[in-house]
Structure formats: C-alpha cells, structure tokens
Amino acid sequence: MKKNQHISRRRAIFTGLSSAGALLLSGCFKKLPPTYGSILRMGDDFTYMAQRGLLSQRALAVEYPKSDITSFPATGNYNPGDPALKASYNKEYQQLQANNFKDWALTIEGSVAKPGKYTMADLLKLSQRTQVTRHTCEEGWSAIAEWTGTPLALLLQSAGILPNARFVSLYGYDNYAESIDLLDAFHPQTILAHTMNGQPLPLEHGAPVRLRVETQIGYKSVKYLQRIVVTDKFVDAADDIKGGWSWYNGI
C-alpha cells in the first residue's frame, strides 16, 4: 500500500470513529459536561469525547487473581455515624449502624417506573457479580481487592428505568455524591458492592453498600450509599463537594 493511501485509510478510520462517538454523545448529552472555569475541569469535554468515541464501551477493566489482592488503605470519612465528624455526620446512619444495618434500604427516585426503597434482600435477589480489580486513587496510590455486589444495571432495570433517562446520581450518608452517565451505569463491572475480600463491606470502606465504578478514578465509587436519582439532564452531584475535580475521569 502506498504511503498516501495508508494515511488516507487511517484518516478515514479516525473520522469514522469520531463520527460514531459524536452520535453516541448526542444521545447522552444535550450539552457536554461544563468546565466551571477550573483548569482540572477544562479537560472534561476532550477526555469524555475521546474515550467515548474511540474506545469500546463494553471493554472490561483488568481483573486479577485473588493472589494479587493487596492491603487497601481507607481514605476520607471513616464513619458518618460519628458525631465528632461534623462535616460527614448523619444521625440516620448512626441509627442504622447501631442495628448492624438491618433496616438499611437504598432509595431510588427520578426517571424510573418503580421509585421506592430497595433493601439488601432486594439487591441479593438479583444476580451477583464478583471481581478482583485495581482501585486507582486520585491521590496517586492504588490497591487491589475483591468486590461482590449487585450490578447497578440490574437494579435500574428492576426499578423500571425510563427511556428518557440519561444520568444516574448517587448520594452517600457521608454527604458525598457523584453522577455517572448510562454507559458507566450499565457497564458490567459497575456494581453496588456489599462484600470486600469475602467479608461484609467494612465500615471504613463504605458499609453496608458502596458503588464500584471500575472504569473511572476511585473518587467516583461513592461509599455509604443512601440514595440514587435517575435524571434526563446532566447533573454534577458533587459540584459543591469536590472542589474542582473532573466530572469524568476514565481509566
């Protein structure tokens, strides 16, 4: 093949992928994620378009054998039930913790046909997924752990997610929140984890249930899950919390 033909072919492939990405994005966004004027936010649009347009959305994050499991530090808020931690304290969580989370239920609302509370028993009725994956923290460290939980996609389907849905916001008892698009929400490795390394999820890692988004940096994996809101419009649920971190940070 001649050099010019080779270049033209590569250009055609890239153009085709870009076009596919544009079609995909048009279904997800009425507008792309805003940058809020922050330097860290300015890369959101480009990163999102590049990863969504050029990479397979069903590609799995690397999964490891159990022998690769490492120590896993806990960062952030360790216990929303502790009144001494004023910024993250939640009285309802304190009461749930006192009863070993037997009365815990996850609220789902917004663009779903069956809004309401979903108990641990409801989650366990659905198929479960176990995966050994690497957690990559925004602070520069990483760790490998085994997680078991309910695929978020199955719960959303059980709640009757509506055709107009585009985004999923997840809120924790520690006053932290995040939002993801449906591509991440329906990714097979995005789970509501209740088990870590074969044991009930430890308090410091988000008991009783936390989100695991294996295709994004660790801060997207909300701990101490309390509520899910499905929306048809872009919502950066953590805008007032994160202090300028990127909304999308795919890995």
Side-chain angles (χ1 to χ4, degrees):
M1 181 182 294
K2 294 181 180 179
K3 182 178 179 180
N4 289 342
Q5 290 177 320
H6 184 66
I7 293 174
S8 297
R9 183 179 178 183
R10 285 191 300 174
R11 184 177 298 154
I13 292 172
F14 182 81
T15 302
L17 289 170
S18 301
S19 299
L23 289 173
L24 175 64
L25 292 174
S26 66
C28 291
F29 281 108
K30 292 182 180 179
K31 63 177 182 178
L32 290 170
T35 65
Y36 301 105
S38 165
I39 293 177
L40 290 178
R41 293 278 186 167
M42 290 174 65
D44 269 356
D45 289 2
F46 176 79
T47 301
Y48 186 86
M49 287 189 292
Q51 290 207 318
R52 290 299 189 231
L54 300 177
L55 303 179
S56 169
Q57 304 311 310
R58 305 300 290 178
L60 298 180
V62 175
E63 296 191 13
Y64 300 84
K66 288 187 178 183
S67 58
D68 284 348
I69 291 174
T70 68
S71 61
F72 201 125
T75 60
N77 300 312
Y78 297 138
N79 183 5
D82 184 353
L85 302 175
K86 296 180 180 180
S88 62
Y89 172 65
N90 187 297
K91 185 176 182 179
E92 182 182 350
Y93 185 87
Q94 183 183 32
Q95 295 169 341
L96 291 170
Q97 185 182 354
N99 196 27
N100 199 28
F101 301 110
K102 291 180 179 178
D103 297 324
W104 175 87
L106 181 63
T107 300
I108 301 181
E109 56 191 83
S111 298
V112 293
K114 295 179 287 185
K117 292 183 178 294
Y118 291 76
T119 65
M120 183 69 78
D122 294 327
L123 267 60
L124 294 176
K125 288 178 184 177
L126 302 172
S127 295
Q128 303 296 293
R129 178 183 175 91
T130 297
Q131 56 203 31
V132 180
T133 53
R134 182 185 299 275
H135 177 99
T136 301
C137 182
E138 66 279 2
E139 296 174 347
W141 58 268
S142 64
I144 296 174
E146 179 187 70
W147 309 94
T148 298
T150 305
L152 177 56
L154 296 184
L155 184 60
L156 293 175
Q157 290 169 341
S158 180
I161 188 168
L162 299 178
N164 67 330
R166 292 292 180 271
F167 300 94
V168 179
S169 296
L170 302 103
Y171 299 83
Y173 281 101
D174 60 348
N175 298 322
Y176 188 76
E178 280 291 352
S179 64
I180 55 178
D181 66 12
L182 290 193
L183 291 172
D184 275 333
F186 276 80
H187 190 278
Q189 290 175 312
T190 299
I191 64 174
L192 305 177
H194 50 71
T195 301
M196 180 182 181
N197 295 335
Q199 299 295 324
L201 191 66
L203 178 65
E204 62 271 22
H205 286 288
V209 175
R210 71 173 295 172
L211 178 69
R212 290 299 307 172
V213 183
E214 307 297 357
T215 54
Q216 290 212 49
I217 292 293
Y219 62 73
K220 300 296 285 190
S221 293
V222 182
K223 299 178 181 178
Y224 314 108
L225 280 177
Q226 177 184 24
R227 183 166 62 106
I228 292 176
V229 181
V230 182
T231 63
D232 62 344
K233 296 179 181 179
F234 173 71
V235 174
D236 188 350
D239 179 29
D240 295 329
I241 303 169
K242 294 188 303 187
W245 295 353
S246 295
W247 171 76
Y248 181 78
N249 210 325
I251 53 177

